[in-house]
Amino acid sequence: MSDSSPGRAAPVLDVWCELQCPDCRDALDDLRALRARYGDRLELRLRHFPLEKHKHAFAAAQASEEAAEQGQGWAYVEAVLGRVEELDRAGEPFLVQVARELGLDAEEFDTALIDGRHILIVDADQAEGKAIGVTGTPTYVIGGERLDGGKSQEGLRERVEEIADRLLAEQDG
Protein backbone atom coordinates (compact mmCIF):
# COMPACT_ATOMS: atom_id res chain seq x y z
CA MET A 1 0.00 0.00 0.00
CA SER A 2 1.52 3.28 -1.06
CA ASP A 3 -1.21 5.49 0.37
CA SER A 4 -0.39 8.73 2.09
CA SER A 5 -2.79 7.90 4.93
CA PRO A 6 -2.58 4.38 6.35
CA GLY A 7 -5.51 2.02 5.93
CA ARG A 8 -7.14 4.18 3.31
CA ALA A 9 -7.14 2.94 -0.26
CA ALA A 10 -7.38 5.52 -3.01
CA PRO A 11 -10.59 5.39 -5.08
CA VAL A 12 -10.05 3.24 -8.17
CA LEU A 13 -10.80 4.27 -11.73
CA ASP A 14 -10.79 1.23 -14.00
CA VAL A 15 -10.26 2.14 -17.65
CA TRP A 16 -11.31 -0.65 -20.00
CA CYS A 17 -9.24 -0.07 -23.05
CA GLU A 18 -7.58 -1.65 -26.02
CA LEU A 19 -4.46 -0.44 -27.74
CA GLN A 20 -5.67 -0.58 -31.34
CA CYS A 21 -8.67 1.64 -30.63
CA PRO A 22 -8.69 5.24 -31.94
CA ASP A 23 -11.30 6.18 -29.30
CA CYS A 24 -8.89 5.04 -26.58
CA ARG A 25 -6.18 7.17 -28.17
CA ASP A 26 -8.54 10.14 -27.98
CA ALA A 27 -9.13 9.36 -24.30
CA LEU A 28 -5.40 9.72 -23.52
CA ASP A 29 -5.72 13.47 -22.95
CA ASP A 30 -8.45 12.86 -20.37
CA LEU A 31 -6.38 10.19 -18.65
CA ARG A 32 -3.33 12.49 -18.55
CA ALA A 33 -5.47 15.27 -17.10
CA LEU A 34 -6.90 12.94 -14.44
CA ARG A 35 -3.43 11.72 -13.50
CA ALA A 36 -2.19 15.31 -13.28
CA ARG A 37 -5.17 16.39 -11.16
CA TYR A 38 -5.28 13.52 -8.69
CA GLY A 39 -1.81 12.00 -8.70
CA ASP A 40 -1.79 9.05 -6.33
CA ARG A 41 -5.08 10.07 -4.67
CA LEU A 42 -6.84 8.22 -7.49
CA GLU A 43 -5.66 4.79 -8.60
CA LEU A 44 -5.89 4.59 -12.37
CA ARG A 45 -6.00 0.99 -13.55
CA LEU A 46 -5.77 0.02 -17.18
CA ARG A 47 -7.97 -3.00 -17.86
CA HIS A 48 -7.79 -4.98 -21.07
CA PHE A 49 -10.74 -5.34 -23.37
CA PRO A 50 -9.37 -6.27 -26.81
CA LEU A 51 -12.10 -6.17 -29.44
CA GLU A 52 -12.51 -8.88 -32.08
CA LYS A 53 -12.43 -6.33 -34.92
CA HIS A 54 -8.86 -5.29 -34.08
CA LYS A 55 -6.60 -8.21 -34.86
CA HIS A 56 -3.51 -6.92 -33.00
CA ALA A 57 -5.32 -5.73 -29.86
CA PHE A 58 -4.88 -9.02 -27.98
CA ALA A 59 -1.12 -9.06 -28.61
CA ALA A 60 -0.92 -5.37 -27.70
CA ALA A 61 -2.64 -6.07 -24.37
CA GLN A 62 -0.08 -8.78 -23.62
CA ALA A 63 2.75 -6.46 -24.64
CA SER A 64 1.50 -3.73 -22.29
CA GLU A 65 1.56 -6.25 -19.43
CA GLU A 66 5.19 -7.05 -20.27
CA ALA A 67 5.93 -3.30 -20.30
CA ALA A 68 4.32 -2.95 -16.88
CA GLU A 69 6.47 -5.79 -15.61
CA GLN A 70 9.52 -3.94 -16.91
CA GLY A 71 8.34 -0.76 -15.14
CA GLN A 72 7.07 1.23 -18.14
CA GLY A 73 3.39 0.30 -18.36
CA TRP A 74 1.84 3.73 -18.94
CA ALA A 75 4.66 5.01 -21.12
CA TYR A 76 4.22 1.97 -23.35
CA VAL A 77 0.43 2.27 -23.51
CA GLU A 78 0.72 5.93 -24.48
CA ALA A 79 3.38 5.22 -27.10
CA VAL A 80 1.36 2.46 -28.78
CA LEU A 81 -1.99 4.28 -28.59
CA GLY A 82 -0.40 7.39 -30.06
CA ARG A 83 0.45 5.39 -33.19
CA VAL A 84 -2.65 3.24 -33.69
CA GLU A 85 -2.24 3.34 -37.48
CA GLU A 86 1.24 1.84 -37.29
CA LEU A 87 -0.06 -0.98 -35.13
CA ASP A 88 -2.82 -1.56 -37.70
CA ARG A 89 -0.22 -1.87 -40.44
CA ALA A 90 2.72 -3.59 -38.77
CA GLY A 91 1.22 -5.71 -35.98
CA GLU A 92 3.48 -7.52 -33.52
CA PRO A 93 6.84 -6.31 -34.90
CA PHE A 94 5.65 -2.76 -34.12
CA LEU A 95 4.92 -3.77 -30.50
CA VAL A 96 8.49 -4.99 -30.12
CA GLN A 97 9.86 -1.90 -31.88
CA VAL A 98 8.08 0.43 -29.40
CA ALA A 99 9.59 -1.56 -26.52
CA ARG A 100 13.02 -1.06 -28.04
CA GLU A 101 12.40 2.69 -28.49
CA LEU A 102 11.52 2.97 -24.79
CA GLY A 103 14.74 1.19 -23.83
CA LEU A 104 12.93 -1.94 -22.67
CA ASP A 105 14.17 -5.49 -23.18
CA ALA A 106 12.78 -6.09 -26.68
CA GLU A 107 13.91 -9.73 -26.79
CA GLU A 108 11.88 -10.36 -23.64
CA PHE A 109 8.86 -8.77 -25.34
CA ASP A 110 9.28 -11.05 -28.30
CA THR A 111 9.50 -14.08 -26.01
CA ALA A 112 6.50 -12.95 -23.94
CA LEU A 113 4.36 -12.67 -27.08
CA ILE A 114 5.45 -16.14 -28.19
CA ASP A 115 5.10 -17.96 -24.85
CA GLY A 116 1.84 -16.19 -23.95
CA ARG A 117 2.83 -15.58 -20.32
CA HIS A 118 0.40 -12.66 -19.97
CA ILE A 119 -2.62 -14.21 -21.70
CA LEU A 120 -4.33 -15.16 -18.44
CA ILE A 121 -4.35 -11.55 -17.20
CA VAL A 122 -5.82 -10.31 -20.47
CA ASP A 123 -8.44 -13.09 -20.53
CA ALA A 124 -9.41 -12.42 -16.91
CA ASP A 125 -9.84 -8.69 -17.57
CA GLN A 126 -11.93 -9.36 -20.65
CA ALA A 127 -14.14 -11.83 -18.78
CA GLU A 128 -14.64 -9.37 -15.92
CA GLY A 129 -15.44 -6.59 -18.37
CA LYS A 130 -18.07 -8.68 -20.12
CA ALA A 131 -19.53 -9.66 -16.74
CA ILE A 132 -20.09 -6.03 -15.73
CA GLY A 133 -21.48 -5.01 -19.11
CA VAL A 134 -18.51 -3.47 -20.92
CA THR A 135 -19.22 -3.65 -24.65
CA GLY A 136 -16.77 -1.16 -26.13
CA THR A 137 -13.71 0.91 -25.34
CA PRO A 138 -12.95 3.15 -23.61
CA THR A 139 -15.27 2.39 -20.69
CA TYR A 140 -14.65 3.89 -17.26
CA VAL A 141 -15.79 2.34 -13.99
CA ILE A 142 -15.52 4.35 -10.79
CA GLY A 143 -17.48 4.17 -7.56
CA GLY A 144 -19.65 1.42 -9.00
CA GLU A 145 -20.70 3.55 -11.97
CA ARG A 146 -19.98 2.56 -15.57
CA LEU A 147 -19.35 5.32 -18.10
CA ASP A 148 -19.24 4.24 -21.73
CA GLY A 149 -16.86 6.30 -23.86
CA GLY A 150 -17.13 4.10 -26.94
CA LYS A 151 -20.03 6.15 -28.33
CA SER A 152 -19.09 9.61 -27.10
CA GLN A 153 -16.49 10.93 -24.69
CA GLU A 154 -18.31 14.23 -24.29
CA GLY A 155 -18.44 15.21 -20.61
CA LEU A 156 -16.97 11.93 -19.40
CA ARG A 157 -13.92 13.39 -17.71
CA GLU A 158 -16.11 15.86 -15.81
CA ARG A 159 -18.32 12.97 -14.66
CA VAL A 160 -15.28 10.95 -13.53
CA GLU A 161 -13.99 14.00 -11.62
CA GLU A 162 -17.39 14.52 -9.95
CA ILE A 163 -17.45 10.93 -8.73
CA ALA A 164 -13.76 10.96 -7.69
CA ASP A 165 -14.24 14.22 -5.78
CA ARG A 166 -17.28 12.76 -4.00
CA LEU A 167 -15.42 9.55 -3.08
CA LEU A 168 -12.43 11.53 -1.80
CA ALA A 169 -14.69 13.87 0.21
CA GLU A 170 -16.42 10.86 1.77
CA GLN A 171 -13.02 9.50 2.77
CA ASP A 172 -12.02 12.79 4.35
CA GLY A 173 -15.44 13.26 6.00
Side-chain angles (χ1 to χ4, degrees), residues 87-110:
L87 177 56
D88 280 345
R89 274 199 313 274
E92 292 190 19
F94 170 70
L95 295 170
V96 176
Q97 177 195 326
V98 171
R100 192 172 289 118
E101 287 168 11
L102 289 172
L104 298 172
D105 183 338
E107 277 61 46
E108 200 57 40
F109 265 78
D110 218 14

Short mmCIF file of all heavy atoms in Angstrom, two decimals, residues 87-110:
data_model
loop_
_atom_site.label_atom_id
_atom_site.label_comp_id
_atom_site.label_asym_id
_atom_site.label_seq_id
_atom_site.Cartn_x
_atom_site.Cartn_y
_atom_site.Cartn_z
N LEU A 87 0.28 0.33 -35.66
CA LEU A 87 -0.06 -0.98 -35.13
C LEU A 87 -0.97 -1.71 -36.12
O LEU A 87 -0.79 -2.90 -36.38
CB LEU A 87 -0.73 -0.86 -33.76
CG LEU A 87 -1.22 -2.16 -33.11
CD1 LEU A 87 -0.08 -3.17 -32.98
CD2 LEU A 87 -1.83 -1.90 -31.74
N ASP A 88 -1.94 -0.98 -36.67
CA ASP A 88 -2.82 -1.56 -37.70
C ASP A 88 -2.00 -2.19 -38.81
O ASP A 88 -2.26 -3.31 -39.23
CB ASP A 88 -3.69 -0.45 -38.35
CG ASP A 88 -4.90 -0.10 -37.49
OD1 ASP A 88 -5.23 -0.86 -36.56
OD2 ASP A 88 -5.51 0.96 -37.75
N ARG A 89 -1.01 -1.43 -39.28
CA ARG A 89 -0.22 -1.87 -40.44
C ARG A 89 0.78 -2.96 -40.09
O ARG A 89 0.89 -3.96 -40.79
CB ARG A 89 0.56 -0.67 -41.01
CG ARG A 89 -0.20 0.16 -42.00
CD ARG A 89 0.74 1.00 -42.84
NE ARG A 89 1.76 1.69 -42.04
CZ ARG A 89 1.57 2.87 -41.46
NH1 ARG A 89 0.42 3.49 -41.57
NH2 ARG A 89 2.53 3.45 -40.77
N ALA A 90 1.53 -2.76 -39.01
CA ALA A 90 2.72 -3.59 -38.77
C ALA A 90 2.50 -4.74 -37.79
O ALA A 90 3.25 -5.71 -37.78
CB ALA A 90 3.87 -2.71 -38.30
N GLY A 91 1.49 -4.62 -36.91
CA GLY A 91 1.22 -5.71 -35.98
C GLY A 91 2.31 -5.92 -34.94
O GLY A 91 2.91 -4.96 -34.45
N GLU A 92 2.59 -7.19 -34.64
CA GLU A 92 3.48 -7.52 -33.52
C GLU A 92 4.90 -6.94 -33.63
O GLU A 92 5.45 -6.50 -32.63
CB GLU A 92 3.52 -9.03 -33.30
CG GLU A 92 2.16 -9.54 -32.79
CD GLU A 92 2.18 -10.98 -32.31
OE1 GLU A 92 3.27 -11.51 -32.03
OE2 GLU A 92 1.09 -11.56 -32.20
N PRO A 93 5.50 -6.92 -34.84
CA PRO A 93 6.84 -6.31 -34.90
C PRO A 93 6.85 -4.86 -34.39
O PRO A 93 7.82 -4.42 -33.78
CB PRO A 93 7.18 -6.37 -36.39
CG PRO A 93 6.39 -7.54 -36.91
CD PRO A 93 5.11 -7.54 -36.12
N PHE A 94 5.75 -4.13 -34.61
CA PHE A 94 5.65 -2.76 -34.12
C PHE A 94 5.65 -2.73 -32.59
O PHE A 94 6.27 -1.88 -31.97
CB PHE A 94 4.38 -2.10 -34.67
CG PHE A 94 4.07 -0.77 -34.03
CD1 PHE A 94 4.86 0.35 -34.28
CD2 PHE A 94 3.00 -0.63 -33.16
CE1 PHE A 94 4.59 1.57 -33.68
CE2 PHE A 94 2.71 0.60 -32.55
CZ PHE A 94 3.51 1.69 -32.82
N LEU A 95 4.97 -3.70 -31.97
CA LEU A 95 4.92 -3.77 -30.50
C LEU A 95 6.32 -3.94 -29.92
O LEU A 95 6.66 -3.34 -28.91
CB LEU A 95 4.01 -4.92 -30.06
CG LEU A 95 2.52 -4.77 -30.42
CD1 LEU A 95 1.77 -6.07 -30.15
CD2 LEU A 95 1.90 -3.60 -29.68
N VAL A 96 7.12 -4.75 -30.58
CA VAL A 96 8.49 -4.99 -30.12
C VAL A 96 9.35 -3.75 -30.38
O VAL A 96 10.18 -3.36 -29.55
CB VAL A 96 9.09 -6.24 -30.81
CG1 VAL A 96 10.54 -6.45 -30.41
CG2 VAL A 96 8.26 -7.49 -30.46
N GLN A 97 9.10 -3.12 -31.53
CA GLN A 97 9.86 -1.90 -31.88
C GLN A 97 9.63 -0.80 -30.83
O GLN A 97 10.58 -0.12 -30.42
CB GLN A 97 9.40 -1.42 -33.27
CG GLN A 97 10.05 -0.12 -33.72
CD GLN A 97 9.30 0.48 -34.91
OE1 GLN A 97 8.76 -0.24 -35.76
NE2 GLN A 97 9.26 1.80 -34.97
N VAL A 98 8.38 -0.60 -30.40
CA VAL A 98 8.08 0.43 -29.40
C VAL A 98 8.82 0.12 -28.10
O VAL A 98 9.36 1.01 -27.44
CB VAL A 98 6.56 0.55 -29.15
CG1 VAL A 98 6.27 1.46 -27.96
CG2 VAL A 98 5.86 1.08 -30.39
N ALA A 99 8.86 -1.16 -27.74
CA ALA A 99 9.59 -1.56 -26.52
C ALA A 99 11.05 -1.15 -26.64
O ALA A 99 11.64 -0.59 -25.71
CB ALA A 99 9.47 -3.07 -26.33
N ARG A 100 11.62 -1.40 -27.81
CA ARG A 100 13.02 -1.06 -28.04
C ARG A 100 13.22 0.45 -27.94
O ARG A 100 14.17 0.92 -27.31
CB ARG A 100 13.45 -1.59 -29.42
CG ARG A 100 14.96 -1.55 -29.64
CD ARG A 100 15.36 -2.26 -30.94
NE ARG A 100 15.21 -3.71 -30.84
CZ ARG A 100 14.38 -4.45 -31.60
NH1 ARG A 100 13.63 -3.87 -32.51
NH2 ARG A 100 14.31 -5.75 -31.45
N GLU A 101 12.30 1.22 -28.53
CA GLU A 101 12.40 2.69 -28.49
C GLU A 101 12.36 3.21 -27.06
O GLU A 101 12.99 4.22 -26.74
CB GLU A 101 11.24 3.32 -29.28
CG GLU A 101 11.39 3.17 -30.79
CD GLU A 101 10.11 3.54 -31.53
OE1 GLU A 101 9.19 4.11 -30.90
OE2 GLU A 101 10.03 3.27 -32.75
N LEU A 102 11.63 2.53 -26.18
CA LEU A 102 11.52 2.97 -24.79
C LEU A 102 12.66 2.43 -23.93
O LEU A 102 12.69 2.64 -22.72
CB LEU A 102 10.17 2.53 -24.19
CG LEU A 102 8.93 3.24 -24.72
CD1 LEU A 102 7.67 2.58 -24.18
CD2 LEU A 102 8.94 4.71 -24.34
N GLY A 103 13.59 1.72 -24.57
CA GLY A 103 14.74 1.19 -23.83
C GLY A 103 14.40 -0.04 -23.01
O GLY A 103 15.12 -0.40 -22.07
N LEU A 104 13.31 -0.71 -23.37
CA LEU A 104 12.93 -1.94 -22.67
C LEU A 104 13.64 -3.13 -23.32
O LEU A 104 14.22 -3.01 -24.38
CB LEU A 104 11.41 -2.13 -22.72
CG LEU A 104 10.60 -1.02 -22.04
CD1 LEU A 104 9.12 -1.18 -22.32
CD2 LEU A 104 10.86 -1.00 -20.55
N ASP A 105 13.54 -4.27 -22.68
CA ASP A 105 14.17 -5.49 -23.18
C ASP A 105 13.29 -6.07 -24.29
O ASP A 105 12.34 -6.81 -24.03
CB ASP A 105 14.33 -6.49 -22.03
CG ASP A 105 15.05 -7.75 -22.46
OD1 ASP A 105 15.06 -8.06 -23.67
OD2 ASP A 105 15.59 -8.44 -21.57
N ALA A 106 13.62 -5.71 -25.54
CA ALA A 106 12.78 -6.09 -26.68
C ALA A 106 12.75 -7.60 -26.89
O ALA A 106 11.73 -8.17 -27.29
CB ALA A 106 13.28 -5.38 -27.95
N GLU A 107 13.87 -8.27 -26.63
CA GLU A 107 13.91 -9.73 -26.79
C GLU A 107 12.90 -10.38 -25.84
O GLU A 107 12.20 -11.33 -26.20
CB GLU A 107 15.31 -10.29 -26.52
CG GLU A 107 16.25 -10.21 -27.72
CD GLU A 107 16.49 -8.78 -28.20
OE1 GLU A 107 16.74 -7.90 -27.34
OE2 GLU A 107 16.40 -8.54 -29.42
N GLU A 108 12.83 -9.84 -24.64
CA GLU A 108 11.88 -10.36 -23.64
C GLU A 108 10.43 -10.15 -24.11
O GLU A 108 9.57 -10.99 -23.88
CB GLU A 108 12.14 -9.66 -22.30
CG GLU A 108 11.62 -10.39 -21.09
CD GLU A 108 12.16 -11.82 -20.94
OE1 GLU A 108 13.36 -12.06 -21.20
OE2 GLU A 108 11.36 -12.69 -20.56
N PHE A 109 10.19 -9.02 -24.77
CA PHE A 109 8.86 -8.77 -25.34
C PHE A 109 8.51 -9.84 -26.36
O PHE A 109 7.41 -10.39 -26.36
CB PHE A 109 8.83 -7.40 -26.03
CG PHE A 109 8.31 -6.31 -25.15
CD1 PHE A 109 9.12 -5.76 -24.18
CD2 PHE A 109 7.01 -5.87 -25.27
CE1 PHE A 109 8.65 -4.76 -23.35
CE2 PHE A 109 6.52 -4.87 -24.44
CZ PHE A 109 7.35 -4.32 -23.48
N ASP A 110 9.46 -10.06 -27.25
CA ASP A 110 9.28 -11.05 -28.30
C ASP A 110 8.93 -12.40 -27.68
O ASP A 110 7.96 -13.06 -28.07
CB ASP A 110 10.60 -11.16 -29.09
CG ASP A 110 10.33 -11.34 -30.57
OD1 ASP A 110 9.18 -11.13 -31.00
OD2 ASP A 110 11.28 -11.71 -31.29
#
